């Protein structure tokens, strides 16, 4: 398991709850249809302007060549090997090239490197766009007490919350859920100082594209922190060359219905404004292999901004 939680919760309208119980499936959606256009739909990018890279890149090489200590880095990186050779030459000659002369001499190479980085970034984002669209996410919550979640996702308290139990023995998707992080800015591939160390071969492990990939799937704006969201993430089957499924009419399919075990449903909480027909229809589904599911009515407190719950026997 990627966590130690025993339960997760799903806020949903009554009609969606009925479909879930009848079909024994949950809807895993592509980020392309999320209600937040920034959620997993931002570009992979650096934490700096590409125009800043030329000067920083040339200055870092100058510092390495004229440093007191021999450069340390990855010998498999050709640029690092070249810098190390020049360091030895500079050390033996005891001469130091003026920085402005170095910048002028190395500028064409630095500009070429920036062009390559820019082109690679575009290729990376084309891949990221297809991958994020082809992947699937199930959003879950930490508890059933959130008044905003009841209003926003359980249709103004007329829906329900389903409590799911994590069952490692069944090896189900819930055990792989990951917690969402909330930030003022989207994740970046690297900040400027780290990226020039990466390019010069000093720290080849500084750039972890896999980590950036997961951060983009698991980071949202701080505006959404009230949700305290967890996610079950299912990447595209073909990670290297993701493709988006289409139906018989050529329309993109942006969600999948994935089965769950009836034992995974622990409880259902009925919204304090749920209609009697919706409640009765859902209750009818809780028979046979769903007989174990506990039922609770939500009761609005008259003394506090909170919900109380009364078990239905």
């Amino acid at each position: 398991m990627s966590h130690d939680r025993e339960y997760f919760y799903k806020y949903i309208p009554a009609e969606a709850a009925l479909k879930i119980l009848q079909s024994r499936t949950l809807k895993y959606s592509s980020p392309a249809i999320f209600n937040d256009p920034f959620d997993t739909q931002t570009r992979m990018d650096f934490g700096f302007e590409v125009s800043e890279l030329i000067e920083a890149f040339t200055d870092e090489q100058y510092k390495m060549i004229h440093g007191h200590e021999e450069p340390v880095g990855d010998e498999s990186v050709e640029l690092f090997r070249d810098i190390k050779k020049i360091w030895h030459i500079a050390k033996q000659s005891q001469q130091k090239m003026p920085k402005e002369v170095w910048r002028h001499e190395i500028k064409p190479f630095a500009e070429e490197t920036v062009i390559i980085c820019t082109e690679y970034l575009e290729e990376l984002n084309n891949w990221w766009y297809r991958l994020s669209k082809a992947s699937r996410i199930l959003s879950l919550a930490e508890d059933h007490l959130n008044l905003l979640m009841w209003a926003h996702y359980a249709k103004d308290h007329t829906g329900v919350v389903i409590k799911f139990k994590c069952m490692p023995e069944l090896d189900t998707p819930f055990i792989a859920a990951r917690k969402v992080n909330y930030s003022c800015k989207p994740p970046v591939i690297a900040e400027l100082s780290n990226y020039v160390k990466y390019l010069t071969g000093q720290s080849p492990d500084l750039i972890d594209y896999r980590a950036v990939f997961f951060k983009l799937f698991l980071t949202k704006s701080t505006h959404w922190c009230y949700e305290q969201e967890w996610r079950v993430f299912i990447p595209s089957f073909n990670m290297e060359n993701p493709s988006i499924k289409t139906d018989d009419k050529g329309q993109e399919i942006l969600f999948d219905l994935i089965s769950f075990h009836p034992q995974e449903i622990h409880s259902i909480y009925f919204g304090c404004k749920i209609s009697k027909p919706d409640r009765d229809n859902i209750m009818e589904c809780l028979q046979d292999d769903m007989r174990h599911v506990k039922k609770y009515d939500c009761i609005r407190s008259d003394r506090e901004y909170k919900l109380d719950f009364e078990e239905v026997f």
Side-chain angles (χ1 to χ4, degrees), residues 67-100:
H68 294 295
E69 302 294 330
E70 182 181 44
V72 177
D74 185 353
E75 297 285 349
S76 68
V77 177
E78 183 179 1
L79 176 58
F80 175 77
R81 295 198 304 270
D82 291 341
I83 290 172
K84 195 172 177 181
K85 289 176 185 175
I86 298 172
W87 179 86
H88 282 285
I89 294 170
K91 196 76 170 175
Q92 291 172 0
S93 68
Q94 297 293 313
Q95 293 182 353
K96 188 174 184 179
M97 181 185 293
K99 183 180 282 190
E100 291 306 316

Side-chain angles (χ1 to χ4, degrees), residues 182-273:
Y182 300 95
S183 174
C184 295
K185 293 182 178 180
V188 296
I189 297 170
E191 297 295 346
L192 184 59
S193 60
N194 283 346
Y195 196 62
V196 294
K197 289 183 183 301
Y198 169 76
L199 288 178
T200 52
Q202 298 175 86
S203 302
D205 297 328
L206 273 176
I207 310 300
D208 186 346
Y209 286 100
R210 178 179 172 83
V212 176
F213 162 78
F214 277 107
K215 283 180 181 178
L216 283 166
F217 272 110
L218 293 168
T219 302
K220 296 177 69 171
S221 164
T222 52
H223 293 87
W224 298 89
C225 65
Y226 74 91
E227 293 183 341
Q228 293 301 295
E229 183 181 350
W230 287 69
R231 289 181 164 176
V232 178
F233 164 62
I234 301 178
S236 169
F237 178 74
N238 187 342
M239 291 280 287
E240 291 186 7
N241 186 25
S243 59
I244 301 161
K245 294 184 291 186
T246 57
D247 61 20
D248 295 338
K249 296 180 180 179
Q251 298 294 313
E252 292 179 341
I253 299 172
L254 298 177
F255 68 88
D256 287 315
L257 298 176
I258 298 178
S259 300
F260 61 86
H261 296 273
Q263 306 96 296
E264 290 180 280
I265 295 187
H266 181 276
S267 311
I268 289 186
Y269 301 85
F270 296 105
C272 62
K273 294 170 63 179

Side-chain angles (χ1 to χ4, degrees), residues 32-77:
I33 56 175
F34 283 177
N35 58 356
D36 175 10
F38 297 96
D39 187 353
T40 320
Q41 298 171 62
T42 53
R43 283 172 52 86
M44 279 189 167
D45 214 340
F46 299 115
F48 54 88
E49 297 297 328
V50 176
S51 58
E52 301 175 68
L53 183 56
I54 294 178
E55 183 174 330
F57 185 43
T58 54
D59 286 356
E60 184 67 22
Q61 293 175 76
Y62 184 84
K63 184 174 72 174
M64 293 171 69
I65 288 167
H66 296 291
H68 294 295
E69 302 294 330
E70 182 181 44
V72 177
D74 185 353
E75 297 285 349
S76 68
V77 177

